[in-house]
Amino acid sequence: MRYELYYWTGIQGRGEFVRLALEDAGAAYLDVAREQGDAVMMPFLRGEKPGARPFAPPFLRAGRQVIAQTANILAFLAPRHGLVPAPAASQCHAMQLQLTIADMVAEVHDTHHPVAMEKYYEEQRPEARKRAASFRTQRIPKYLGYFEQILKQGDGRHILGRRHCYVDLSLFQLMAGLDYAFPQAMKSLRRRTPRLRALTERVAARPRIAAYLASPRRIPFNEAGIFRHYPELDRT
Amino acid sequence: MRYELYYWTGIQGRGEFVRLALEDAGAAYLDVAREQGDAVMMPFLRGEKPGARPFAPPFLRAGRQVIAQTANILAFLAPRHGLVPAPAASQCHAMQLQLTIADMVAEVHDTHHPVAMEKYYEEQRPEARKRAASFRTQRIPKYLGYFEQILKQGDGRHILGRRHCYVDLSLFQLMAGLDYAFPQAMKSLRRRTPRLRALTERVAARPRIAAYLASPRRIPFNEAGIFRHYPELDRT
């Protein structure tokens, strides 16, 4: 079966967490909006298509099933492609970690959109500076400290047990995005995140991920996405 | 087996979504921090206890398993207590809806903490006014419109198929919280949310939920929780 992934064109955004899982799995998928334009998603969002109605992209069509919410899509895909251990308790643990990543990603978005999601960054710059300062000094250390500690208490290499899983892929994306958006803040945390650094490099070196990252399918981070680099938000 | 629920004392917060499921199921549980104080949670948060390490409360102990992240806890409990249909596709759909509720709850929190989670509301009032205005005028109608449409396309009474499930309980809590925090904004939306209103009343009338809501275990909403009533944030 070929999956259909639906996500906004032009950005990595939350769709990228799903793409990385599909690519790592070597799964056949069509990146539908990139082929046909964003308008192709609207009938789904308006509830005009069969299957669960998504609130927002990304969503995945797998046969007759429509699945939305990034962590939920990953939890659906992972057991089908060996990207999570089979026991229910492991899948539950993976979801817990993935939802914590999702919480951090939402906070990343809020650094450039702290007061009005529907307005431009340029209309909320002073507030963005405040939010970004809090994010850099309080939240990045707290979240990354949490994941680093879990790696330390585990085998040091994998976030869940002793095997690669989809949460490792998402941690790679999280680190890549933070490095892009907050290079200074991330540089100052380097020595406190050795295992996350090693994990990020290891994921990037996985053959299918390396091939994907080198392909035109991996579009660069940019200032329309979730991870945006505004130097004034990275100042320490 | 008796569950152990861990959540901050003194507020409903995210723990309340779990409490409602436990109460509706008639499940035996100990609300541990309420009995023993918040300090009892710290060893879990510091990674000194066996089982998955939580990033934050709420978390649930079920036998040897520790489960964190509200939606994840609910997805764990629901099939054990008849609070979600058995098919995997239904559980996936329920999770999708629950995560959309979780997204909205995070946005509710940001209305009073738009620029710094670690500071007091009183330190971010001007920003909170902006964020709340956006939330009231853009986000509440968008989210509630979504859920109302799903009810309309379904049986009109249940958010998932034709049976009560844990997501209905969470929608009740969402509506109750929004009514408390933003009474004016919610009043102006009344005519556009008839099915959500009916669902909310129906959930409140379920015998175990009605008994819970009338008990001292249901502590009132207050200004330390997620749903806070600051009149200046509800002005239209």
Side-chain angles (χ1 to χ4, degrees):
Chain A
M1 182 186 60
R2 189 168 67 162
Y3 297 110
E4 292 181 2
L5 171 65
Y6 293 80
Y7 193 66
W8 305 115
T9 56
I11 62 169
Q12 292 185 16
R14 290 184 171 85
E16 198 67 9
F17 294 94
V18 181
R19 270 187 208 105
L20 286 169
L22 291 165
E23 295 280 348
D24 193 61
Y29 74 101
L30 188 67
D31 209 329
V32 186
R34 284 204 185 157
E35 304 258 339
Q36 302 172 25
D38 285 346
V40 75
M41 299 190 288
M42 299 311 150
F44 291 90
L45 299 176
R46 285 195 300 258
E48 295 163 9
K49 293 276 190 177
R53 178 180 181 165
F55 181 74
F59 52 92
L60 185 83
R61 190 145 70 163
R64 292 189 308 176
Q65 207 175 339
V66 176
I67 303 143
Q69 284 281 357
T70 309
N72 194 40
I73 300 170
L74 291 170
F76 170 85
L77 287 172
R80 287 165 175 76
H81 296 281
L83 282 173
V84 72
S90 298
Q91 295 192 33
C92 182
H93 191 178
M95 176 61 103
Q96 169 178 328
L97 293 163
Q98 188 66 38
L99 288 175
T100 306
I101 294 173
D103 286 345
M104 189 179 191
V105 170
E107 293 188 29
V108 170
H109 175 270
D110 279 5
T111 60
H112 47 78
H113 279 77
V115 293
M117 235 168 261
E118 71 282 7
K119 292 185 182 166
Y120 291 108
Y121 162 65
E122 288 72 20
E123 298 175 78
Q124 44 200 311
R125 278 181 125 142
E127 297 90 352
R129 277 197 185 229
K130 287 191 190 181
R131 175 83 184 218
S134 162
F135 183 71
R136 285 195 323 266
T137 59
Q138 308 293 320
R139 305 301 287 172
I140 297 183
K142 186 171 162 80
Y143 276 111
L144 297 193
Y146 169 76
F147 291 119
E148 182 73 21
Q149 280 299 310
I150 290 175
L151 287 169
K152 192 176 174 184
Q153 292 189 314
D155 76 348
R157 295 166 50 85
H158 303 97
I159 198 68
L160 186 71
R162 299 171 170 279
R163 279 180 49 206
H164 171 72
C165 83
Y166 71 93
V167 185
D168 295 310
L169 297 169
S170 290
L171 278 174
F172 157 80
Q173 177 65 9
L174 183 68
M175 293 293 285
L178 291 170
D179 280 342
Y180 173 78
F182 303 99
Q184 305 259 36
M186 290 297 282
K187 196 178 162 192
S188 76
L189 278 173
R190 260 193 177 271
R191 285 196 309 148
R192 287 156 64 187
T193 51
R195 293 170 191 83
L196 276 171
R197 285 284 152 207
L199 178 149
T200 303
E201 285 170 27
R202 201 166 47 247
V203 168
R206 288 176 66 84
R208 285 177 182 145
I209 294 296
Y212 169 65
L213 296 177
S215 79
R217 298 194 301 289
R218 172 79 166 185
I219 58 173
F221 286 109
N222 62 51
E223 280 55 59
I226 292 173
F227 295 101
R228 303 185 183 188
H229 180 54
Y230 296 121
E232 65 272 25
L233 300 188
D234 185 33
R235 227 154 264 158
T236 46
Chain B
M1 184 186 58
R2 190 168 66 162
Y3 297 109
E4 290 181 3
L5 172 64
Y6 293 80
Y7 193 66
W8 305 115
T9 55
I11 62 170
Q12 291 186 17
R14 289 183 171 87
E16 197 68 10
F17 295 93
V18 181
R19 271 187 206 105
L20 287 168
L22 291 166
E23 295 281 349
D24 194 60
Y29 74 102
L30 188 66
D31 209 329
V32 186
R34 284 203 184 157
E35 304 259 339
Q36 301 172 26
D38 286 346
V40 74
M41 300 190 287
M42 298 312 149
F44 290 91
L45 300 175
R46 285 196 300 259
E48 295 163 8
K49 292 277 191 177
R53 178 179 180 165
F55 180 74
F59 52 92
L60 186 82
R61 190 144 71 162
R64 292 190 308 176
Q65 207 174 339
V66 176
I67 303 143
Q69 283 283 355
T70 310
N72 195 39
I73 299 170
L74 291 169
F76 170 86
L77 288 172
R80 286 165 175 76
H81 296 281
L83 282 174
V84 72
S90 297
Q91 296 193 31
C92 182
H93 191 179
M95 175 62 101
Q96 169 179 328
L97 293 164
Q98 188 66 38
L99 289 175
T100 306
I101 294 173
D103 286 345
M104 190 179 190
V105 170
E107 293 188 28
V108 170
H109 175 270
D110 279 5
T111 59
H112 48 78
H113 279 77
V115 293
M117 234 169 262
E118 71 280 8
K119 292 185 182 167
Y120 291 109
Y121 163 64
E122 287 72 18
E123 298 175 77
Q124 44 200 312
R125 277 181 125 139
E127 296 90 352
R129 276 198 186 228
K130 287 191 189 180
R131 176 83 183 218
S134 163
F135 183 72
R136 285 195 323 265
T137 60
Q138 308 293 320
R139 306 300 288 172
I140 296 183
K142 186 170 161 79
Y143 277 111
L144 297 193
Y146 169 76
F147 291 118
E148 182 72 22
Q149 281 299 311
I150 289 176
L151 287 169
K152 191 175 173 184
Q153 291 188 316
D155 76 348
R157 296 167 48 86
H158 304 96
I159 197 67
L160 186 71
R162 298 171 170 278
R163 278 181 49 207
H164 171 70
C165 83
Y166 71 93
V167 185
D168 295 310
L169 297 170
S170 291
L171 278 175
F172 157 78
Q173 177 65 8
L174 183 69
M175 293 293 285
L178 291 170
D179 280 342
Y180 173 78
F182 303 100
Q184 304 260 34
M186 289 297 282
K187 194 176 164 194
S188 75
L189 278 172
R190 261 195 174 269
R191 284 197 308 148
R192 288 155 65 187
T193 51
R195 293 170 191 84
L196 276 172
R197 285 284 153 209
L199 179 149
T200 303
E201 285 170 27
R202 201 165 48 247
V203 168
R206 290 175 66 83
R208 284 178 182 143
I209 295 295
Y212 169 65
L213 296 177
S215 80
R217 298 194 301 287
R218 171 79 165 185
I219 57 174
F221 286 108
N222 62 51
E223 281 55 57
I226 292 175
F227 295 101
R228 303 185 183 189
H229 180 54
Y230 297 120
E232 65 271 25
L233 300 188
D234 184 35
R235 224 154 267 157
T236 46

